[in-house]
Amino acid sequence: MTQAITQQPIGVFDSGIGGLTVVRALLEVLPNENIVYFGDTARVPYGSKSPQVVREYTKDDVKFLLSKNVKMIVVACNTVSSVALDVVQKLAPHMPVCGVIVPGAEEAVRISQTHRIGVIGTVGTITSKAYTQAILREAPDAQVVAKACPLFVPLVEEGWITHAATEMIALEYLFPLLTKKIDTLVLGCTHYPLLKQTITKVTKGMVRLIDSGEATAAVVKSMLIERSLLNTSRQHPNVQFFVSDAPAKFTQIGERFLGRSLGVVKKVSIES
Ligand code: DGL
C-alpha cells in the first residue's frame, strides 16, 4: 500500500546534535508529524568551516533525507540556512524547504519595539550576514548588531549551561551589544536556546530573546497547512534519529536538547 503523502515524514537536518532544539519546537506545535532527523556528527562543527565546505556537506545531508521519502525539509542548522539554503532548494525543488534564518529574523522584527536588534551565532552564520540582511528586508530602519559567539557551542555540549565560566563568557560576548541598547536578541544557533537562563541573567532581563527554532516551527506548520500536507492520521507518530558518527554520545547529550529521551539512534554513512 502506498503511504499518503501527508504521512510521509518531515526531514530535519543539522550539523550534529543542536538541531534537536528545532525538533523539540516542531514536536510542540506539530505533535502528529512523523520526523526523520539527521545529524552530521562525523563532520560537526559546520560553524567554523568555509561556506564551500558547508555547501558540499549539505548535499550529502539532503540526499540522505530524500532517500527517506520526506515530504518537506527543515534546515535546523543556522550555518547551513545562512550559506547553503539554495543548495537544499536545488536538490529538492518539488517540496517545501524551510530554513531558520527568515523565521527568526521576522519574529525579531515583530517583537522589537526599537528595531535595535542583536544577532548571535557561529562564525559562519555571522560572517554570512544572512540574519542582518533578512532583518533589514523586513525593517529597513533596523539597526542590527551581530556577534559570533563560538565558545557557546562547546560550553553547551559540555553541559555548562549555567556555569559561572559560561556567565563570564556570555557577558564578554554580549557587552558590546548591550552598549548599543538592543531590545531584542536573536539566538541564531541551534545550541543557544539552552543558554536562555544565563543570557537572561547577563542581560538583566532587559532584552527579548528570539528562539529561531520556535519561530521556524510555527512557519513549518503554516507551510504544511497551506500545501495540505499536515498529517491528520491518528497513528502514533514515528520520530527517527540518524547520525554519521557516535550514536551513543548523541543519545546521551541529545536528551538535554530534545527535552525527552530519543530512543534508538542509528549510525549511517552518507558521504558520496
Ligand atoms: N548547528 C550549528 C548552527 O546552528 C551549530 C554547531 C556547528 O557549528 O555545527 O549554526
Side-chain angles (χ1 to χ4, degrees):
M1 208 175 65
T2 54
Q3 191 186 31
I5 187 164
T6 53
Q7 288 178 41
Q8 287 171 218
I10 300 175
V12 183
F13 77 96
D14 178 52
S15 54
I17 205 160
L20 292 177
T21 56
V22 180
V23 174
R24 183 183 191 153
L26 285 169
L27 290 172
E28 231 151 77
V29 296
L30 292 164
N32 293 326
E33 294 298 328
N34 297 310
I35 293 177
V36 170
Y37 179 90
F38 175 70
D40 194 7
T41 48
R43 302 187 292 193
V44 73
Y46 284 12
S48 53
K49 301 209 165 71
S50 70
Q52 290 75 17
V53 166
V54 173
R55 289 170 72 83
E56 284 308 313
Y57 289 177
T58 297
K59 288 182 193 163
D60 298 333
D61 303 341
V62 173
K63 283 180 197 157
F64 173 74
L65 288 181
L66 293 177
S67 78
K68 293 288 166 193
N69 200 25
V70 297
K71 64 179 175 184
M72 161 168 202
I73 294 181
V74 178
V75 184
C77 182
N78 287 256
T79 308
V80 173
S81 300
S82 297
V83 303
L85 196 64
D86 61 310
V87 172
V88 185
Q89 282 158 338
K90 215 166 158 189
L91 283 170
H94 304 302
M95 69 177 66
V97 169
C98 186
V100 289
I101 306 298
V102 171
E106 285 181 355
E107 181 68 359
V109 170
R110 202 177 65 76
I111 294 293
S112 172
Q113 311 243 312
T114 60
H115 281 184
R116 288 171 183 264
I117 299 172
V119 178
I120 52 175
T122 64
V123 170
T125 297
I126 298 306
T127 307
S128 78
K129 296 193 166 60
Y131 269 113
T132 304
Q133 286 160 3
I135 290 169
L136 291 175
R137 265 196 305 275
E138 280 297 300
D141 67 315
Q143 284 188 40
V144 185
V145 195
K147 174 98 182 145
C149 305
L151 294 173
F152 279 170
V153 166
L155 286 168
V156 168
E157 292 197 6
E158 195 61 32
W160 288 20
I161 310 291
T162 54
H163 196 287
T166 308
E167 223 174 280
M168 267 174 68
I169 290 165
L171 185 61
E172 186 76 25
Y173 278 145
L174 297 175
F175 188 71
L177 284 75
L178 294 174
T179 59
K180 294 268 165 53
K181 297 201 170 11
I182 57 163
D183 76 338
T184 303
L185 178 66
V186 181
L187 306 177
C189 173
T190 48
H191 289 58
Y192 301 177
L194 278 89
L195 293 175
K196 274 180 192 165
Q197 195 185 325
T198 295
I199 293 174
T200 301
K201 189 170 175 195
V202 164
T203 56
K204 300 193 164 60
M206 302 291 279
V207 173
R208 294 284 297 270
L209 304 183
I210 304 298
D211 182 330
S212 282
E214 284 173 5
T216 300
V219 171
V220 169
K221 185 174 181 180
S222 316
M223 288 171 94
L224 290 177
I225 292 171
E226 241 167 61
R227 291 166 175 79
S228 306
L229 284 173
L230 212 55
N231 188 8
T232 49
S233 145
R234 291 184 184 271
Q235 273 173 25
H236 189 69
N238 189 12
V239 184
Q240 292 174 275
F241 300 98
F242 296 90
V243 293
S244 47
D245 194 19
K249 185 179 168 207
F250 184 89
T251 312
Q252 189 209 340
I253 306 183
E255 241 181 84
R256 214 184 303 134
F257 287 76
L258 190 65
R260 66 183 211 194
S261 69
L262 281 81
V264 182
V265 177
K266 288 191 194 132
K267 179 176 178 298
V268 286
S269 169
I270 60 144
E271 271 175 77
S272 51

